[in-house]
Amino acid sequence: MYHTPGQWRVERTAGGFEVCSDDGETDSLVAVVYSVLDEQKEANARLIAAGPDMLEALEQAEIALEEHGDEGTVGFVRAAIAKAKGQQ
């Protein structure tokens, strides 16, 4: 695993939002999110916080699609996984 482990959560701060991990023992700051529009700040923070869950879902989808999916969809999923892992 290359990213910060644990479930990620969004916390409101005075100037924006923070994305933090919670691995059960320690909390780690993953990202600080600022934007011009308040609604974008929170939406961007929530998207970032969902990253580990989305990566896991894509990895599971890749396995399922290898047997039952079309090659275009499998390629799309693989490209997203590679991007998330910094391999693209």
Side-chain angles (χ1 to χ4, degrees), residues 30-74:
V30 174
V32 178
V33 180
Y34 296 100
S35 180
V36 175
L37 302 173
D38 284 336
E39 55 272 7
Q40 282 184 340
K41 290 178 199 177
E42 186 171 7
N44 290 343
R46 294 197 181 287
L47 183 60
I48 293 166
D53 295 327
M54 290 191 292
L55 177 58
E56 184 178 346
L58 283 170
E59 289 172 336
Q60 292 299 315
E62 179 186 24
I63 293 168
L65 288 169
E66 284 175 343
E67 291 186 29
H68 306 293
D70 65 88
E71 191 55 39
T73 303
V74 173

